Amino acid sequence: TGYPTRWEDQTKYRGGWVVDGQRQKTLRLRLQGKWGTLSNIFYNPYLPTLDDYFEPWTYDYQNLINAPLADEQPTARAISMVTGKYMDTIEAGPNWDDDLGGSQVYANNDPNLDGASEEEMRQ
């Protein structure tokens, strides 16, 4: 759920803030401190990958424009903008789950609802 996939999962992407300390409570970034930023300046293992977003695609519009007259409607197949090859399936994209945001499938996979009671889930 979300974009990139499971973007609200703070344990996966280490986003947000945490409170440290028993007596002296201090607020710090969950991802890393100043020195962690410096050590991960060229590589951060917690950032979303291309698979977490989607493989960008376009369509073969030339097939629509240049198709000869026929009884069948021509189609525009999806083409990967990364590899330039035809794609058989498209699994995700921006705003992919917006129309299904209220479905039980997405609610069951929402990291914000982990640990919620049955009563809280019904509300």
Side-chain angles (χ1 to χ4, degrees):
T1 58
Y3 178 76
T5 305
R6 293 186 60 88
W7 72 275
E8 289 184 353
D9 188 349
Q10 301 303 324
T11 56
K12 179 177 181 179
Y13 297 120
R14 296 200 179 177
W17 299 83
V18 291
V19 177
D20 275 347
Q22 295 287 336
R23 302 181 101 199
Q24 209 51 351
K25 297 194 186 276
T26 58
L27 191 63
R28 69 169 180 83
L29 284 171
R30 182 186 308 262
L31 178 61
Q32 59 204 14
K34 184 178 356 180
W35 297 110
T37 302
L38 187 58
S39 66
N40 287 340
I41 197 164
F42 296 111
Y43 171 72
N44 187 338
Y46 303 108
L47 289 178
T49 63
L50 183 63
D51 291 337
D52 293 321
Y53 285 96
F54 66 97
E55 184 173 356
W57 74 90
T58 187
Y59 293 100
D60 184 5
Y61 293 110
Q62 291 303 315
N63 189 43
L64 296 177
I65 295 168
N66 299 325
L69 290 176
D71 292 334
E72 297 84 23
Q73 179 74 25
T75 59
R77 290 183 59 193
I79 299 174
S80 168
M81 294 180 74
V82 175
T83 64
K85 297 179 181 177
Y86 286 112
M87 297 174 67
D88 292 328
T89 58
I90 298 173
E91 297 177 6
N95 302 324
W96 188 261
D97 58 352
D98 280 0
D99 292 338
L100 303 174
S103 79
Q104 206 55 32
V105 173
Y106 286 100
N108 289 337
N109 292 314
D110 190 342
N112 293 315
L113 298 177
D114 288 348
S117 68
E118 287 290 327
E119 183 179 340
E120 292 168 329
M121 292 291 283
R122 282 193 298 270
Q123 295 176 1

